[in-house]
Amino acid sequence: MLVLQDWTLFLKQNLEAFIWLLALVLLAFMPVDATGTSLCMFHQLGIESCPGCGLGHSISAALHGDLVLSIDGHPLGIIAVVLLIFRIIAVFKAYFDYNKIKKEWYE
């Protein structure tokens, strides 16, 4: 039971990193030419130009290696991928550094 508690604590303390990681994984599995139904509120209202959708498609194209399509979708898509990867690493690094210091302090 202690192992399960450790995992839930690990998940709670790194929730931001897991959310960003899940978002990147979902965008990586999204087809680059995805033009099907959308959950976007702007598309539901009939507005075709949504900066959020452009960024999502741009990130998806960047993760598929199509940099030209990525820049065409949104100029900041590649930068967003890099920043999200750095943020995920930073959250996990802070967690492990903190626990290392805490462990050394109490030993």
Side-chain angles (χ1 to χ4, degrees):
M1 193 61 156
L2 183 62
V3 174
L4 182 62
Q5 290 174 344
D6 291 343
W7 276 104
T8 56
L9 182 63
F10 178 72
L11 179 65
K12 282 181 185 177
Q13 292 179 344
N14 296 296
L15 186 61
E16 178 191 358
F18 283 114
I19 289 171
W20 289 129
L21 189 59
L22 177 66
L24 286 178
V25 167
L26 290 174
L27 286 170
F29 282 108
M30 182 177 94
V32 178
D33 58 351
T35 57
T37 60
S38 175
L39 298 175
C40 176
M41 176 180 64
F42 292 108
H43 283 145
Q44 299 298 329
L45 293 174
I47 301 170
E48 292 299 319
S49 176
C50 172
C53 291
L55 187 60
H57 287 285
S58 177
I59 291 172
S60 177
L63 292 173
H64 283 98
D66 192 347
L67 301 182
V68 174
L69 185 61
S70 175
I71 292 171
D72 187 44
H74 197 291
L76 299 177
I78 297 170
I79 296 170
V81 171
V82 172
L83 289 175
L84 287 175
I85 290 171
F86 277 125
R87 182 61 187 158
I88 292 166
I89 292 169
V91 169
F92 283 130
K93 184 179 180 319
Y95 171 80
F96 288 115
D97 286 348
Y98 171 76
N99 282 329
K100 180 181 174 187
I101 292 169
K102 188 170 83 170
K103 183 179 179 183
E104 290 172 358
W105 179 266
Y106 287 111
E107 287 184 351

